[in-house]
Amino acid sequence: MNNHLYADVLVEVPGLQTDRTYQYRVPQKLAGSVQFGNRVKVSFGKQRVTGFVVGLSEQKTVARVKEIIGLVDESLLFREDQLALAKWLADYYLCSTVKALQSVIAPALKKTSARPVVRLYSNVEPGQLPEVQKQMARSPKRLAALEAALRHPGLNKRELAALAGVSLYVVNQLCTGGILRVEADLPVRDPYPQYKITDQARVRLTGEQSLAVQDIAAAVHQGGHRVFMLHGVTGSGKTEVYLRCIEQVLRAGRQAVTLVPEISLTPQMVRLYKARFGRDVAVLHSRMSDGERCDEWSRIENGSAPVVLGVRSAILAPVSDPGLIIIDEEHEPSYKQDEAPRYHARAVALFRARKSRGVLVLGSATPSLESYCRALPGGAYNLINMPNRINGKGMPSVQLVDMRREVQSGNSGIFSLTLLQKLREKLHNNEQTIIFLNRRGFKTLVVCRECGLVLKCPRCDISLTYHTDGRLRCHYCNYRVQAPKRCPDCGGSQVGYFGTGTQRVEMELAAALPGARILRMDADTTARKGSHEQILGLFGNGGADILVGTQMVAKGLDLPGVTLVGVVNADSTLHMPDFRAGERTFQLLAQVAGRTGRGDKPGEVLIQTHTPEHYAVRAASRHNYQAFFQSEIAVRKEMGYPPFAKMVRLLVYGKDDTAVQEAAEKIYTRLNGFVQEQDGGKIMIVGPAPAPLPRLKEDYRWHIILWSADYRQLRLAVKRFWLATGGAAPGKALKMSIDVDPMYIT
């Protein structure tokens, strides 16, 4: 009789993309120890590798079976629902299941044990103290340490010695003599110990907020899967709606997850969430230490933290029964992961909410076109509108400054004369300003500074990118043309590059406004842990007059002292070689405009642009999402771009440009074969062409883009390619990535 137990193991082997499991025998010494969810050490070929136990059976399925060598972790790392999530990620985003599983349980894989803290407690009861005091009359230092330990139990040795004014030797004597008791305590590492639950006056909701809470709370109590699109202008009070709905979920005995798009928003949201829910909140983001993330992960897993707050990866948190998932600023591209599995948090949230029969809330002042289309009449989402700011505050006034006229009048600097005058007024009135630099563009963009013309591809209506060989190139279809020396529209000679950095803006502001206190918030100044909170805290407390920043100052921040927002280079995203350029520009301008006018004084916004006539710029200046949506959706429909189609992008990269190009061409030929077999008339395939960033980190990059209104056909064709290649590298020293639903074409 065979009494052996066999384990199905997903092995971790670099370069191995297969999703099959391998069977190993559980040795007698590990009988009862190896369980579903364990990580084990196994022999694979001539290597010793780690793997994950995803099944157990008494049936042997292959002739030759090796034994498991040992356990890597005694604790279980994942549950059935987490493995199901990993399998869905792997299938939808075309990566290996083991890679997806590693992402799902990443904090658990980096367990770092906290160092035990030795704490001291008195063995002398308060009633025994008079007798002990007599005995220690000739040892005043020992008596002082004992009395301090009675008054402050739980101090460590150094803390007690300092408090009592004695040496460590005296404290150690008391421990050796049994007068003090030593206990080892394993602390929970709290990343935000400064934030505590506080008694707050109940905020009175506006009518719009009340209706939103009623609709969402009713869906929560009904227990079915629903999706809400919460479209509320900046300052309309969406965060309070989130908090009230979470209260309802907790009363129902379920858990809630809230995502924010930027780490810079986390401290502000942590403060609000901790004030309302205290230790029930667990926070997850990449700036935390491995130990902090592991501890927060464990609190979520054991149910002691039913409220999860974090950035993109928090959607993978081990919440067993998510009754409510909230994605704040749902339009943000930062919710898309840029390495395998290349998931979008919104898609994962939809999957998890559907599986748990939970409610998903997508909140934004500037919803993505994909989400808003689904919230129109007859769509799958329920639309909730909050078109007004709380407390009767109006939206800020917006002024467009045509930078073409500034150049024509002789001002070739970064700042318009109007913006400089406004800045001086704010400084004189002790009011604060945000200067937003829209830096997510290419410095190789070619613009005529006299008429504002941006050279575009005649086939794709996407801006051309300047290359060092003096040619302009389309990174969708590889159309190429020599860069003109004069503008082909107006004949002007002011044709050049477009792009300015935050450091230059800071430097020129300091020169133009001597004495102004200026802070800069970008990737350089926020590299250290806690730097976001430090900069925003200083600015929020009036420690600076002007905050210069990139996208991280454009959304979610509530700074009542800000009465002016100045936007430099509003066009740099407008003319990116990406079909979403108009949408990104509108969203950024509308979001950054919302940072002003939140206090007692009205706000102003000044947008510097070379194309004030563009519909995205005009709509943002009028706070008019509907006008933008109607214009943009017409363009997308005409070009057949999402949301009227699904997209997949394949990227090939490596050190040898020729090898990369040849590999891309071979991949195209193979892909095209699957496309033709899969009714290619419904699937567009373009390329291969150099990626918009043709060389990155010394790798040359070529890409192929497929899109189709028939997602089933597109998916079948790409899935067949994936299965045929196993996602393997297309050649020696080359790599390939597949991005389903890409957010950026870079």
Side-chain angles (χ1 to χ4, degrees), residues 21 42 70 113 167 171 175 211 214 218 290 325 392 614 669 727 730 735:
T21 58
V42 296
S113 299
S167 67
V171 174
C175 295
L211 289 174
Q214 287 172 20
D290 287 344
I325 301 175
H614 194 282
T669 301
K735 295 180 181 179

Side-chain angles (χ1 to χ4, degrees), residues 626-738:
Q626 291 299 330
F628 163 74
F629 178 81
Q630 295 302 328
S631 297
E632 180 70 11
I633 205 72
V635 173
R636 299 280 187 93
K637 188 173 184 179
E638 181 182 353
M639 301 302 296
Y641 290 144
F644 298 99
K646 282 276 194 174
M647 258 187 189
V648 177
R649 181 197 189 207
L650 285 85
L651 179 71
V652 184
Y653 53 103
K655 307 299 181 191
D656 186 329
D657 191 20
T658 302
V660 170
Q661 181 176 350
E662 290 174 352
E665 288 168 352
K666 289 178 182 177
I667 288 171
Y668 169 82
T669 301
R670 196 165 188 184
L671 258 175
N672 197 42
F674 289 122
V675 165
Q676 296 306 320
E677 292 174 18
Q678 208 66 51
D679 190 7
K682 295 182 179 180
I683 302 173
M684 292 288 295
I685 177 169
V686 294
L693 286 176
R695 195 178 187 202
L696 183 66
K697 296 180 181 177
E698 299 186 351
D699 280 331
Y700 292 94
R701 309 163 81 241
W702 281 65
H703 66 173
I704 301 163
I705 299 173
L706 303 92
W707 73 88
S708 175
D710 188 337
Y711 179 58
R712 182 175 175 275
Q713 297 293 335
L714 174 64
R715 178 161 183 79
L716 284 172
V718 179
K719 188 70 179 284
R720 289 184 66 190
F721 171 80
W722 164 258
L723 292 173
T725 62
K732 187 177 180 180
L734 297 180
K735 295 180 181 179
M736 179 186 70
S737 68
I738 300 179

Side-chain angles (χ1 to χ4, degrees), residues 485-514:
K485 294 183 179 178
R486 287 189 170 272
C487 175
D489 196 27
C490 72
S493 59
Q494 294 288 322
V495 177
Y497 304 113
F498 199 71
T500 305
T502 48
Q503 287 180 324
R504 182 182 167 199
V505 169
E506 181 185 26
M507 181 182 68
E508 296 208 10
L509 274 175
L513 304 167

Side-chain angles (χ1 to χ4, degrees), residues 554-618:
K555 51 230 172 192
L557 300 178
D558 191 356
L559 299 165
V562 174
T563 58
L564 173 65
V565 167
V567 179
V568 179
N569 292 355
D571 311 291
S572 57
T573 48
L574 187 60
H575 304 299
M576 286 178 68
D578 192 322
F579 70 88
R580 287 191 176 92
E583 182 180 14
R584 297 256 166 76
T585 300
F586 171 80
Q587 288 167 343
L588 277 168
L589 294 180
Q591 290 287 338
V592 77
R595 297 316 107 209
T596 184
R598 288 170 169 257
D600 297 330
K601 298 180 180 179
E604 300 176 80
V605 182
L606 205 143
I607 299 174
Q608 298 184 166
T609 173
H610 286 84
T611 50
E613 67 280 357
H614 194 282
Y615 63 85
V617 178
R618 289 202 315 271

